[in-house]
Amino acid sequence: MGNSAVGADGNPRAEGEGPEGPRRSGPGRHRSFWRELPILVVVALVLALLIKTFLVQAFSIPSESMQNALQPGDRVLVDKLTPWFGAKPGRGEVVVFHDPDNWLTGQPTSHPNVVQKVLSFVGVMPSANEQDLIKRVIGVGGDTVECKGTGPLTVNGKPLNEPYVFPGNTPCSVDQRGGQFRVTVPQGKLWMMGDHRQDSEDSRYHQADKNHGFVPVDEAVGRAFVVAWPLSRWATLPVPGTFDQPGIDTRAALAPGGLSLAGAVPVALWRRRRAAARVR
């Protein structure tokens, strides 16, 4: 009978026919895919939520305060992983942080729809949370930051060369609202300033709030490390070299002296005890 087969009842069975009748073809497999699709979507959303929570989150830039490094409408990716290992924001980093004390009062806010809110929550879309700000870290705990006249801005007495400042701006703002200042940053706090110095409501202009303009480190969301969208503006956001100049990190400068002092104290005590023993 050629390629035909015989069933259990002794009757011939057509090619492709199973013991219980004709085999299911394409439509059955399509129905299986559609049954699995909701599971795949849920898994993808859960992964996106985990990535947003622990690894990387996208933020949309709403204002001109960080021009030219960041333009309104840019999407930046923020590193949320390293803070889990105890890393703290450093000088020169562009950092997203929660509004520390009503800095955004009076600022226009967007009103995303339900779908946008859900997609933003899981991390598929940039954050729609308008209570976040983005500025550059100028001073960390222990630093003295000062502005006189139009600048330059100094940190621990070292003048900063700031090529990232918006063209036409001066590093320091001459005004009576806070543009002229000398502050020492408390431990656990940050002094934040926008690159668009004459169009940024940053630490300078919130010195009357409960934190005196400083931003608690705990309010930092993470460091923005790349402009991801639009593709025509793709760029990294490195720490400018001016923050690496010798002498600007007073903590590093004091460390060797502190170690020397710690080593000298036991030696001095040993010598005193030895001298006392000789007197006896």
Side-chain angles (χ1 to χ4, degrees):
M1 297 181 65
N3 292 330
S4 61
V6 178
D9 55 1
N11 295 321
R13 187 168 64 234
E15 183 178 1
E17 183 178 340
E20 299 179 357
R23 296 184 185 135
R24 291 186 177 183
S25 57
R29 290 195 294 272
H30 286 299
R31 284 196 295 272
S32 177
F33 168 77
W34 288 113
R35 283 197 300 268
E36 293 177 357
L37 182 59
I39 299 175
L40 295 176
V41 171
V42 170
V43 170
L45 292 177
V46 170
L47 289 175
L49 179 59
L50 292 174
I51 290 171
K52 170 201 166 183
T53 303
F54 299 106
L55 300 178
V56 175
Q57 184 174 357
F59 284 85
S60 179
I61 305 302
S63 71
E64 296 83 7
S65 68
M66 281 298 292
Q67 288 178 317
N68 273 336
L70 302 175
Q71 300 290 346
D74 283 354
R75 268 65 168 177
V76 297
L77 298 183
V78 172
D79 168 25
K80 300 179 72 175
L81 177 62
T82 52
W84 288 94
F85 295 95
K88 304 297 183 183
R91 303 180 193 89
E93 294 181 357
V94 176
V95 169
V96 171
F97 58 97
H98 300 308
D99 188 341
D101 189 24
N102 300 314
W103 285 22
L104 292 172
T105 299
Q107 297 294 320
T109 58
S110 62
H111 301 283
N113 57 40
V114 175
V115 175
Q116 290 173 323
K117 288 181 179 179
V118 171
L119 294 179
S120 174
F121 174 74
V122 299
V124 175
M125 288 184 62
S127 175
N129 185 355
E130 292 299 328
Q131 300 307 307
D132 293 329
L133 302 97
I134 184 166
K135 308 289 180 188
R136 191 179 297 275
V137 179
I138 299 298
V140 298
D143 286 347
T144 297
V145 186
E146 184 175 11
C147 258
K148 287 183 178 180
T150 58
L153 174 68
T154 65
V155 176
N156 298 325
K158 300 295 182 180
L160 299 183
N161 175 26
E162 301 184 281
Y164 48 81
V165 169
F166 185 72
N169 278 194
T170 54
C172 296
S173 301
V174 181
D175 58 49
Q176 301 301 316
R177 299 175 50 234
Q180 302 289 287
F181 62 87
R182 177 184 171 88
V183 298
T184 298
V185 185
Q187 295 298 327
K189 301 291 180 66
L190 305 168
W191 184 260
M192 312 292 292
M193 294 176 68
D195 291 354
H196 199 333
R197 291 290 158 80
Q198 275 77 66
D199 191 17
S200 177
E201 293 292 322
D202 47 41
S203 288
R204 298 169 293 173
Y205 301 113
H206 295 280
Q207 296 183 62
D209 72 6
K210 67 179 182 181
N211 300 303
H212 306 293
F214 303 110
V215 176
V217 169
D218 291 343
E219 297 293 348
V221 176
R223 175 187 174 185
F225 64 95
V226 68
V227 180
W229 189 265
L231 293 178
S232 60
R233 284 191 39 76
W234 192 96
T236 57
L237 297 169
V239 175
T242 188
F243 290 94
D244 295 327
Q245 60 179 296
I248 199 170
D249 192 345
T250 56
R251 295 171 301 177
L254 291 174
L259 292 174
S260 298
L261 179 61
V265 169
V267 173
L269 290 174
W270 175 77
R271 286 180 176 176
R272 289 186 61 182
R273 288 178 181 176
R274 186 177 180 183
R278 288 176 179 174
V279 171
R280 291 194 189 114

Coordinates of all heavy atoms in Angstrom, one line a residue, residues 202-263:
D202 N 18.9 76.4 41.7 CA 19.7 75.3 42.4 C 20.0 75.6 43.8 O 19.2 76.4 44.4 CB 20.9 75.0 41.6 CG 21.7 76.2 41.2 OD1 21.8 77.1 42.0 OD2 22.2 76.3 40.1
S203 N 21.0 75.0 44.4 CA 21.3 75.2 45.8 C 21.5 76.6 46.2 O 21.1 77.0 47.3 CB 22.6 74.4 46.1 OG 22.4 73.0 46.1
R204 N 22.0 77.4 45.3 CA 22.2 78.9 45.6 C 20.9 79.6 46.0 O 21.0 80.4 46.9 CB 22.8 79.6 44.3 CG 24.1 79.1 43.9 CD 24.4 79.7 42.5 NE 23.5 79.2 41.5 CZ 23.5 79.6 40.2 NH1 24.3 80.6 39.9 NH2 22.7 79.1 39.3
Y205 N 19.8 79.2 45.4 CA 18.6 79.9 45.6 C 17.6 79.3 46.6 O 16.4 79.6 46.6 CB 17.9 80.2 44.3 CG 18.9 81.0 43.3 CD1 19.4 80.4 42.2 CD2 19.3 82.3 43.7 CE1 20.3 81.1 41.4 CE2 20.2 83.0 42.8 CZ 20.6 82.3 41.7 OH 21.5 83.0 40.9
H206 N 18.1 78.3 47.3 CA 17.3 77.6 48.3 C 18.0 77.6 49.7 O 17.7 76.7 50.5 CB 16.9 76.2 47.8 CG 16.1 76.2 46.6 ND1 14.7 76.4 46.6 CD2 16.4 76.1 45.3 CE1 14.2 76.4 45.4 NE2 15.2 76.2 44.6
Q207 N 18.8 78.5 49.9 CA 19.6 78.5 51.2 C 18.7 78.8 52.4 O 19.1 78.7 53.5 CB 20.7 79.5 51.1 CG 21.8 79.1 50.1 CD 23.0 80.1 50.0 OE1 23.7 80.2 51.0 NE2 23.2 80.7 48.9
A208 N 17.5 79.3 52.1 CA 16.5 79.5 53.2 C 15.7 78.3 53.6 O 14.8 78.4 54.5 CB 15.6 80.7 52.9
D209 N 15.8 77.2 52.8 CA 15.0 76.0 53.1 C 15.6 75.3 54.3 O 16.6 75.7 54.9 CB 14.8 75.1 51.9 CG 16.1 74.4 51.5 OD1 17.1 74.4 52.3 OD2 16.1 73.7 50.5
K210 N 14.9 74.2 54.7 CA 15.3 73.4 55.9 C 16.7 72.8 55.8 O 17.3 72.5 56.8 CB 14.3 72.3 56.2 CG 14.3 71.2 55.2 CD 13.2 70.1 55.5 CE 13.2 69.0 54.5 NZ 12.2 67.9 54.9
N211 N 17.2 72.6 54.6 CA 18.5 72.1 54.4 C 19.6 73.1 54.0 O 20.7 72.8 53.7 CB 18.5 71.0 53.2 CG 17.6 69.9 53.5 OD1 17.7 69.2 54.5 ND2 16.6 69.6 52.6
H212 N 19.1 74.4 54.1 CA 20.0 75.5 53.7 C 20.6 75.4 52.3 O 21.7 75.8 52.1 CB 21.2 75.7 54.8 CG 20.7 75.8 56.2 ND1 19.9 76.8 56.7 CD2 20.8 74.9 57.2 CE1 19.6 76.6 57.9 NE2 20.1 75.4 58.3
G213 N 19.8 74.8 51.4 CA 20.3 74.7 50.0 C 21.0 73.4 49.7 O 21.2 73.1 48.6
F214 N 21.5 72.7 50.7 CA 22.2 71.5 50.5 C 21.2 70.4 50.3 O 20.0 70.4 50.7 CB 23.0 71.1 51.8 CG 24.0 72.2 52.1 CD1 23.8 72.9 53.3 CD2 25.1 72.5 51.3 CE1 24.7 73.9 53.7 CE2 26.0 73.5 51.7 CZ 25.8 74.2 52.8
V215 N 21.6 69.4 49.5 CA 20.8 68.2 49.1 C 21.3 67.0 49.9 O 22.5 66.6 49.7 CB 20.8 67.9 47.6 CG1 20.1 66.7 47.3 CG2 20.3 69.1 46.9
P216 N 20.5 66.4 50.7 CA 20.9 65.2 51.4 C 21.3 64.1 50.4 O 20.6 63.9 49.4 CB 19.7 64.8 52.2 CG 18.9 66.1 52.4 CD 19.1 66.8 51.1
V217 N 22.4 63.4 50.7 CA 22.9 62.3 49.9 C 21.8 61.3 49.7 O 21.6 60.7 48.6 CB 24.2 61.7 50.4 CG1 24.5 60.4 49.7 CG2 25.3 62.7 50.3
D218 N 21.0 61.0 50.7 CA 19.9 60.0 50.7 C 18.9 60.4 49.6 O 18.1 59.5 49.2 CB 19.3 59.9 52.0 CG 20.2 59.2 53.0 OD1 21.2 58.6 52.6 OD2 19.9 59.3 54.3
E219 N 18.8 61.6 49.2 CA 17.8 62.0 48.2 C 18.3 61.8 46.8 O 17.5 62.0 45.8 CB 17.4 63.5 48.4 CG 16.8 63.9 49.7 CD 15.4 63.3 49.9 OE1 14.8 62.8 48.9 OE2 14.9 63.3 51.0
A220 N 19.5 61.4 46.6 CA 20.1 61.2 45.3 C 19.5 59.9 44.7 O 19.5 58.8 45.4 CB 21.6 61.1 45.3
V221 N 19.0 59.9 43.5 CA 18.5 58.7 42.8 C 19.6 58.0 42.2 O 19.7 56.7 42.2 CB 17.4 59.1 41.8 CG1 17.0 57.9 41.0 CG2 16.2 59.8 42.5
G222 N 20.5 58.7 41.5 CA 21.6 58.1 40.9 C 22.3 59.0 39.9 O 21.8 60.2 39.7
R223 N 23.4 58.6 39.3 CA 24.2 59.4 38.4 C 23.7 59.2 36.9 O 23.6 58.1 36.5 CB 25.6 59.0 38.5 CG 26.5 59.8 37.4 CD 27.9 59.3 37.4 NE 28.7 59.9 36.3 CZ 29.9 59.5 36.0 NH1 30.6 58.6 36.7 NH2 30.5 60.1 35.0
A224 N 23.4 60.3 36.2 CA 23.1 60.2 34.8 C 24.4 60.0 34.1 O 25.3 60.9 34.2 CB 22.4 61.5 34.4
F225 N 24.5 59.0 33.3 CA 25.8 58.6 32.7 C 25.7 58.7 31.1 O 26.8 58.7 30.5 CB 26.3 57.3 33.1 CG 25.4 56.1 32.7 CD1 25.7 55.4 31.6 CD2 24.3 55.7 33.5 CE1 24.9 54.3 31.2 CE2 23.5 54.7 33.2 CZ 23.8 54.0 32.0
V226 N 24.6 58.8 30.5 CA 24.5 58.9 29.1 C 23.2 59.5 28.7 O 22.2 59.4 29.3 CB 24.6 57.5 28.5 CG1 23.4 56.6 28.8 CG2 24.8 57.5 27.0
V227 N 23.3 60.3 27.6 CA 22.1 60.8 26.9 C 21.7 59.7 25.9 O 22.5 59.5 24.9 CB 22.4 62.2 26.2 CG1 21.1 62.6 25.5 CG2 22.8 63.2 27.2
A228 N 20.6 59.1 26.1 CA 20.2 57.9 25.2 C 19.3 58.3 24.1 O 19.2 57.5 23.1 CB 19.6 56.9 26.1
W229 N 18.6 59.4 24.2 CA 17.6 59.8 23.2 C 17.5 61.3 23.2 O 17.5 61.9 24.2 CB 16.2 59.1 23.5 CG 15.3 59.3 22.4 CD1 14.3 60.2 22.3 CD2 15.1 58.5 21.2 NE1 13.6 60.1 21.1 CE2 14.1 59.0 20.5 CE3 15.9 57.4 20.8 CZ2 13.7 58.4 19.2 CZ3 15.5 56.8 19.5 CH2 14.4 57.3 18.8
P230 N 17.3 61.9 22.0 CA 17.3 61.3 20.7 C 18.7 60.8 20.3 O 19.7 61.2 20.8 CB 16.8 62.4 19.8 CG 17.3 63.7 20.5 CD 17.1 63.4 21.9
L231 N 18.7 59.8 19.3 CA 19.9 59.2 18.9 C 20.9 60.2 18.4 O 22.1 60.0 18.5 CB 19.7 58.1 17.9 CG 18.9 56.9 18.4 CD1 18.6 55.9 17.2 CD2 19.6 56.2 19.5
S232 N 20.4 61.3 17.8 CA 21.3 62.3 17.2 C 22.1 63.0 18.3 O 23.1 63.7 18.0 CB 20.5 63.3 16.4 OG 19.6 64.0 17.2
R233 N 21.7 62.9 19.6 CA 22.4 63.6 20.7 C 23.0 62.6 21.6 O 23.4 62.9 22.8 CB 21.4 64.5 21.5 CG 21.1 65.8 20.7 CD 20.3 66.8 21.6 NE 20.7 66.8 23.0 CZ 21.9 67.4 23.4 NH1 22.7 68.0 22.6 NH2 22.1 67.4 24.7
W234 N 23.1 61.3 21.2 CA 23.7 60.3 22.1 C 25.1 60.8 22.5 O 26.0 61.1 21.7 CB 23.8 59.0 21.3 CG 24.2 57.8 22.3 CD1 23.3 57.0 22.8 CD2 25.5 57.5 22.7 NE1 24.0 56.1 23.6 CE2 25.3 56.3 23.5 CE3 26.8 57.9 22.4 CZ2 26.4 55.7 24.2 CZ3 27.8 57.3 23.1 CH2 27.7 56.2 23.9
A235 N 25.3 60.7 23.8 CA 26.6 61.2 24.4 C 26.8 60.7 25.8 O 25.7 60.6 26.5 CB 26.8 62.7 24.3
T236 N 28.0 60.5 26.2 CA 28.2 60.1 27.6 C 28.3 61.4 28.5 O 28.5 62.5 27.9 CB 29.5 59.3 27.8 OG1 30.6 60.1 27.3 CG2 29.4 58.0 27.1
L237 N 28.2 61.3 29.8 CA 28.3 62.4 30.7 C 29.4 62.2 31.7 O 29.2 61.8 32.8 CB 27.0 62.6 31.4 CG 25.8 62.9 30.5 CD1 24.5 62.8 31.3 CD2 25.9 64.3 29.9
P238 N 30.7 62.4 31.2 CA 31.8 62.1 32.1 C 32.0 63.2 33.1 O 31.4 64.3 33.0 CB 33.0 62.0 31.1 CG 32.6 63.0 30.0 CD 31.1 62.8 29.9
V239 N 32.9 62.9 34.1 CA 33.2 63.9 35.1 C 34.3 64.8 34.5 O 35.3 64.3 34.1 CB 33.8 63.3 36.4 CG1 34.3 64.3 37.4 CG2 32.7 62.4 37.1
P240 N 34.1 66.1 34.5 CA 35.1 67.1 33.9 C 36.4 67.0 34.7 O 36.5 66.8 35.9 CB 34.4 68.4 34.1 CG 33.0 68.1 34.2 CD 32.9 66.8 34.9
G241 N 37.5 67.1 33.9 CA 38.8 67.0 34.5 C 39.1 68.1 35.5 O 40.0 67.9 36.4
T242 N 38.4 69.2 35.5 CA 38.7 70.3 36.5 C 38.6 69.8 37.9 O 39.2 70.4 38.8 CB 37.9 71.5 36.2 OG1 38.3 72.6 37.0 CG2 36.4 71.2 36.5
F243 N 37.7 68.8 38.2 CA 37.5 68.3 39.5 C 38.6 67.4 40.0 O 38.6 66.9 41.1 CB 36.1 67.6 39.6 CG 35.0 68.6 39.5 CD1 34.4 68.8 38.2 CD2 34.5 69.3 40.6 CE1 33.3 69.7 38.1 CE2 33.4 70.2 40.5 CZ 32.8 70.4 39.2
D244 N 39.5 67.0 39.1 CA 40.6 66.2 39.5 C 41.9 66.9 39.7 O 43.0 66.3 40.0 CB 40.9 65.2 38.3 CG 39.8 64.2 38.1 OD1 39.1 63.9 39.1 OD2 39.5 63.8 37.0
Q245 N 41.9 68.3 39.7 CA 43.1 69.0 39.9 C 43.7 68.8 41.3 O 42.9 68.6 42.2 CB 42.8 70.5 39.6 CG 41.8 71.2 40.5 CD 41.6 72.6 40.2 OE1 42.6 73.4 40.3 NE2 40.4 73.0 39.7
P246 N 45.0 68.9 41.4 CA 45.6 68.6 42.7 C 45.1 69.6 43.8 O 45.0 70.8 43.5 CB 47.1 68.8 42.4 CG 47.2 68.5 41.0 CD 46.0 69.0 40.3
G247 N 44.9 69.2 45.0 CA 44.5 70.0 46.1 C 43.1 70.3 46.3 O 42.7 70.8 47.3
I248 N 42.3 69.9 45.3 CA 40.8 70.1 45.4 C 40.2 69.2 46.4 O 39.2 69.5 47.1 CB 40.1 70.1 44.1 CG1 38.8 70.8 44.1 CG2 39.9 68.6 43.6 CD1 38.1 71.0 42.8
D249 N 40.7 68.0 46.5 CA 40.2 67.0 47.5 C 40.9 67.1 48.8 O 42.0 66.5 49.0 CB 40.3 65.6 46.9 CG 39.5 64.6 47.7 OD1 39.0 64.9 48.8 OD2 39.2 63.5 47.1
T250 N 40.4 67.9 49.7 CA 41.1 68.1 51.0 C 41.1 66.9 51.8 O 42.0 66.7 52.6 CB 40.4 69.2 51.8 OG1 39.0 68.9 51.9 CG2 40.5 70.6 51.0
R251 N 40.1 66.0 51.6 CA 40.1 64.7 52.4 C 41.3 63.9 52.0 O 42.0 63.3 52.9 CB 38.9 63.9 52.1 CG 37.6 64.6 52.6 CD 36.4 63.9 52.1 NE 36.4 63.9 50.6 CZ 35.4 63.2 49.9 NH1 34.5 62.6 50.5 NH2 35.5 63.2 48.6
A252 N 41.7 63.8 50.7 CA 42.9 63.1 50.3 C 44.1 63.7 50.8 O 45.1 63.0 51.2 CB 42.9 62.9 48.8
A253 N 44.1 65.0 50.9 CA 45.3 65.7 51.3 C 45.6 65.5 52.8 O 46.7 65.5 53.3 CB 45.2 67.2 51.0
L254 N 44.5 65.4 53.6 CA 44.6 65.3 55.0 C 44.9 63.9 55.4 O 45.4 63.6 56.5 CB 43.3 65.8 55.7 CG 43.0 67.3 55.6 CD1 41.6 67.5 56.2 CD2 44.1 68.1 56.4
A255 N 44.6 62.9 54.6 CA 44.7 61.5 54.9 C 46.2 61.2 55.3 O 46.4 60.5 56.3 CB 44.2 60.6 53.8
P256 N 47.2 61.5 54.5 CA 48.6 61.1 54.9 C 49.0 61.7 56.2 O 49.6 61.1 57.0 CB 49.4 61.7 53.7 CG 48.5 61.7 52.6 CD 47.1 62.1 53.2
G257 N 48.6 63.0 56.5 CA 48.9 63.6 57.7 C 48.3 62.9 58.9 O 48.9 62.8 59.9
G258 N 47.0 62.5 58.6 CA 46.3 61.8 59.7 C 47.0 60.5 60.0 O 47.1 60.1 61.2
L259 N 47.4 59.8 59.0 CA 48.1 58.5 59.2 C 49.4 58.7 59.9 O 49.8 57.9 60.8 CB 48.3 57.8 57.8 CG 47.0 57.3 57.1 CD1 47.4 56.8 55.7 CD2 46.4 56.2 57.9
S260 N 50.1 59.8 59.5 CA 51.4 60.1 60.2 C 51.2 60.4 61.7 O 51.9 59.9 62.5 CB 52.1 61.3 59.5 OG 52.4 61.0 58.2
L261 N 50.1 61.1 62.0 CA 49.8 61.5 63.4 C 49.5 60.2 64.1 O 49.9 60.0 65.3 CB 48.7 62.5 63.4 CG 48.2 62.9 64.8 CD1 49.4 63.6 65.6 CD2 47.0 63.8 64.7
A262 N 48.6 59.3 63.5 CA 48.2 58.1 64.2 C 49.5 57.2 64.5 O 49.5 56.6 65.5 CB 47.3 57.3 63.3
G263 N 50.5 57.2 63.6 CA 51.7 56.5 63.8 C 52.6 57.1 64.8 O 53.3 56.4 65.5

